[in-house]
Amino acid sequence: MSVRYPTSSLQALLSQIGPVDQVGIDERVAKYGTRSIKKAAKLWGLRTAVTMVDLTTLEGKDTPGKVASLCQKALRPADDASIPPTAAVCVYPSMVRHAKKHVGGTSVKVASVATAFPSGQAPLSTRLAEVRAAVADGADEIDMVINRGAFLAGEFAEVQDEIAAVVEACGRATLKVILEVSELESYDNIRAASFLAMQVIRPGDFIKTSTGKTSLNATLGNNQVMLEAIRDHYLATGVAIGMKPAGGIRTAKQALTFLIAVKETLGDAWLNNTRYRFGASSLLNDLLRQLEKERTGAYQAPYSFSESAESY
Amino acid sequence: MPTSSAAAKKASRPAARATGRPAPELIFGDLWEFDPAPETADPKLKPRYDLFINGKFVAPKSGKYFDSINPATERKLAEIALAGPAEVDAACKAAKTAFEKVWGPMPGRERAKYLFRIARLLQDRAREFAVAETLDGGKPIKESRDFDVPMAAAHFFYHAGWADKLDYVAPGRRVAPLGVVAQVIPWNFPLLMLAWKIAPALAMGNTVVLKPAETTSITCLKLAEILQDADLPPGVVNFVTGAGEVGAALVNHPIPAKVAFTGSTEVGKVIMRALAGSDKKMTMELGGKAANIIFDDAPLDQAVEGIVNGIFFNQGHVCCAGSRLLVQESVADRVLAKLKTRIRTLRVGDPLDKNTDIGAINSREQLDKITTLVAAGVKEGAELFQSSCKLPAKGFYFRPTVFSGVSMSHRIAREEIFGPVLSILTFRTLEEAVEKANNTCYGLSAGVWTDKGSRILKMSTELKAGVVWANTYNKFDPVSPFGGYKESGFGREGGRQGLLDYCQLA
Amino acid sequence: MTRLPITKTPKVYVGGAFIRSESARVYPLHDASGAFYANIPQCTRKDLRNAVEAAAKAGPGWARRTAYNRGQILYRLGEMLEARASELAAALQLGGATPAAAAREVAAAVDRLVYYAGWTDKYESLLGSVNPVAAPYFNFTVTEPMGVVGIIAPDECPLLALITLIAPAITSGNTVVALASSKQPYPAILLGEMLATSDLPGGVVNLLTGFRKELVPTFATHAHLRALIAVADPEERKTLALGAADSVKRVRLIKAEVATDWFADAAQSLQAIRDTLEFKTTWHPVGT
């Protein structure tokens, strides 16, 4: 569990965990998109996706009022009471206590980004203090960013040590480690960073693609690389790590395709919100829109379920 | 504490056992079972198909028809005319007249436009053709829809562009068409093989008499409708249908100047013998027993994907299927474990279902052959693994099958099975891999998986095969020449090199 | 008293050595006037088998030579012929060629070698290709020599035709087992000596003399011969094609009954090199 990679070249790390071929991954995930999900399977997939949403607002203009309405949306996504609540709301640390007021005691968790989100460019002590503060305010889950600068400089031990320090600061809160895949660029790097994180986090913690604050966020490709890393780690150690793609997943169709990737890579045990989440905001309304379409058979107008997360 | 992950894994396994924890396993169950998702486009089949000779559908003089069945349901789809010697003769004569009077003299730029038209009309009706192909041959709709039909159209489109640029085909030489070309194609890619065959022949200015396989004639005869819609001059392309004796009559007919055959090595040799002493040119695209070679530094998950694509694509009915997996010993266990996991997620069943990965075996006869060879593998002591997936009650199906512990002397390592059956052998060094890969009478294709670029080029140089897929498998493109070494045949299809096999040098 | 000259015992050049037939058989060669000239090895199917083995052994090394090196060696072979041009011309006159015709044939043979010497490092760039596939792959087609090529030469132009058939095959790295003209084998006997001094590795070109009837069936069926280039009559063509079918051999059969102008520019070409090449296409992903 506490194995640490020494400071070493990426090549040395890859020789241990194996490389990834980009074109091969891209072809693999293209096949998920050809799966055709109908009827009961579609309903199951849409409802399951709803329960996996970390309903997110991460704006400079966030207010307690905005967070309150987000929480209401998370608890009761639609008029239809049979629609389950989302997994969590995801907010900045300063909003944790406001969120906790609304969802505390329910199944909906409060997740908070921390560690100088999204850049992570603050002293470690500051980042750890932010984590402790969010947990103290009632955060059930902490979404941290890794030190990409250290990773790209080959300082793998530093990356791992920092993650380990955040694990400690989390206490009982679940940790989600954001790799910020767009800054790592290659699938090899994403696989390597996944392993660095998984080596020091706990069963039930997550690895997560992105902050949602860069140009490229979750894709089926980087999702697949991380799912395969989780699978390899699980089969080697028995430690089950969760996965959270974040940013860029806006449609129900996309979400179903991501879930197909989970079904065919990690299997049934990952098809629930203790092991798979979507970091998203506008996705939720599209899921609801499609559920309503399945229920009524009619395509929905935009004013029924806004396409803008702003209106939650 | 510097510890390698390998050491960490070694350390963690005994610990897991010591605590009595079961080995971690993935569950691929029915928590999220997909509902049937059948493709519903109308294949627009006719109850009966006649021969296509001189631009018209004509009934055989004998009045004989044979049934084409759906291998997924064993139900009859349509009746196909059985050509007799008289019809073969008529087709060859029509082709000869068309060559001399119309197609041969036609400027290349005009021939090009006909081929472009055919490509476009096929694209228009792509889904209809895909469904027909799947019904007739048993291949999954996702393959006929995403591969066979678009690739067939691409072949017409690519070769169309050559028709007025033939001066660039053979440096320093002028090329001229051969005349009438006789073409005989197999049942594994009925429409695609047809396109591979007729597009370059027509681009070069030849005319064609083609015989599709008797179990898969429908898309060929549907294409005849497109040829009519495209106003292709009568006789430029003729289709005669039936079994081996029709093919024999065609290749032995005095008119064709060339015979192009795709099929088994056995039948290829029969044709070569039959044509010995004649002046007919030939190209032969025959069998294979390709090695797919995995080195220990390969991207293993993508390699597993490539193994799956290599042997289960089109139920393994692929002449270039990666049917012999050569894995470096140090990663053999890991690759086999990953492969088994992957195979558990393959969906075998109704070819028309959009989620089907592996469809129906093309015919009862082929199913019997696969069954026999698999039994031989078990008898010879190889270790059998089969997917536990459910198979439909009716129709011809075979589970994805993997044999490990196979040695080069086993029948399953030497004979072309032409089904979803993989034989796994191991190797220790590059030299051993090359030796095992080349130790076969075939030489159609090979796969190499390694992260090291220079090793790829070394392997590509050493492997005696016409196509080498490095870190991929079973990829095709009209621009990419395809064809074999040794007893996998001669001549190439696709690319500039393929065109050369349809011309004479003036 | 005039000195009695010693005569040379004709031997064939196989595997880099000068040998007699394993059968110890010979057949007499007469000059144009009908006088006995020498005894020529009557090679058998076993000699052919041995020659194929020698060619197969030499094959990988020859194919691995750089194109530049193969070009220099072919040119060197031309130098050897040029240096012994009068001897070769005399050999051709044995078969009745006029001195002028013999000299012309030798000159053409030398020029043919020079022609192919210049091709060794160029044909690939014209025959191979990079193919723009519609997917993220780098796809290229290169040529490779077929391996051991069997060559059956005609009786006319016994030097020029033989060289015209051999040279394009070895240009690309094939190795060759060639049957020389039965009627006029002596130029091939001399050619062996020039091959031996030309830097061409032993076994790359193996020359047999003997009777076509005896050897054609073995050329046809020997599975290790991957290609056959033969000037043959209709019956021989059928035999060769039938035998070739057993191992799916590549054949290019030139009609013996149709006159070939071995001197013509058309007798040498890039396409002749292509006749003994395989095409190999490699796919590789372009990614990170």
Side-chain angles (χ1 to χ4, degrees), chain A residues 85-130:
Chain A
T86 70
V89 291
C90 181
V91 296
Y92 270 120
S94 60
M95 294 293 145
V96 168
R97 59 196 173 89
H98 301 297
K100 197 69 186 176
K101 279 190 290 206
H102 300 287
V103 300
T106 74
S107 68
V108 176
K109 302 279 195 284
V110 176
S112 175
V113 298
T115 71
F117 182 93
S119 72
Q121 296 284 21
L124 180 61
S125 56
T126 309
R127 286 180 270 154
L128 293 174
E130 193 187 5

Side-chain angles (χ1 to χ4, degrees), chain C residues 114-126:
Chain C
V114 173
Y115 172 82
Y116 284 109
W119 261 128
T120 56
D121 51 6
K122 298 170 190 69
Y123 70 85
E124 181 69 73
S125 58
L126 288 161

Side-chain angles (χ1 to χ4, degrees), chain A residues 170-182:
Chain A
C170 277
R172 298 175 67 176
T174 297
L175 176 63
K176 307 193 196 102
V177 182
I178 302 171
L179 307 182
E180 195 65 310
V181 290
S182 68

Side-chain angles (χ1 to χ4, degrees), chain C residues 117-227:
Chain C
W119 261 128
T120 56
D121 51 6
K122 298 170 190 69
Y123 70 85
E124 181 69 73
S125 58
L126 288 161
L127 298 178
S129 55
V130 171
N131 312 306
V133 294
Y137 291 88
F138 186 70
N139 177 296
F140 58 96
T141 301
V142 296
T143 68
E144 272 180 9
M146 285 177 173
V148 186
V149 176
I151 284 172
I152 301 175
D155 285 327
E156 63 274 16
C157 294
L159 178 67
L160 177 59
L162 182 63
I163 283 180
T164 300
L165 297 173
I166 291 173
I170 62 173
T171 294
S172 65
N174 290 291
T175 56
V176 161
V177 176
L179 175 61
S181 158
S182 303
K183 287 182 189 151
Q184 296 199 62
Y186 207 70
I189 298 286
L190 288 184
L191 178 63
E193 295 170 9
M194 294 160 209
L195 290 166
T197 54
S198 68
D199 300 337
L200 194 75
V204 173
V205 174
N206 305 278
L207 297 173
L208 301 178
T209 53
F211 298 136
R212 297 170 73 101
K213 220 172 181 57
E214 202 172 341
L215 291 170
V216 161
T218 308
F219 270 98
T221 54
H222 197 310
H224 209 156
L225 288 169
R226 289 317 305 153

Side-chain angles (χ1 to χ4, degrees), chain B residues 371-424:
Chain B
T371 308
T372 303
L373 277 162
V374 166
V378 172
K379 197 168 171 213
E380 289 181 321
E383 193 179 323
L384 173 83
F385 168 82
Q386 284 188 314
S387 160
S388 55
C389 58
K390 290 187 221 92
L391 298 185
K394 201 110 172 84
F396 312 138
Y397 292 94
F398 202 84
R399 290 177 201 288
T401 299
V402 171
F403 278 111
S404 51
V406 178
S407 73
M408 288 296 288
S409 59
H410 286 159
R411 273 182 78 191
I412 50 172
R414 305 205 71 82
E415 292 183 28
E416 188 176 35
I417 298 174
F418 227 61
V421 181
L422 179 69
S423 299
I424 306 184

Side-chain angles (χ1 to χ4, degrees), chain B residues 126 133 236 316 362 496:
Chain B
E133 194 75 313
V236 172
N362 187 265
R496 192 189 67 221

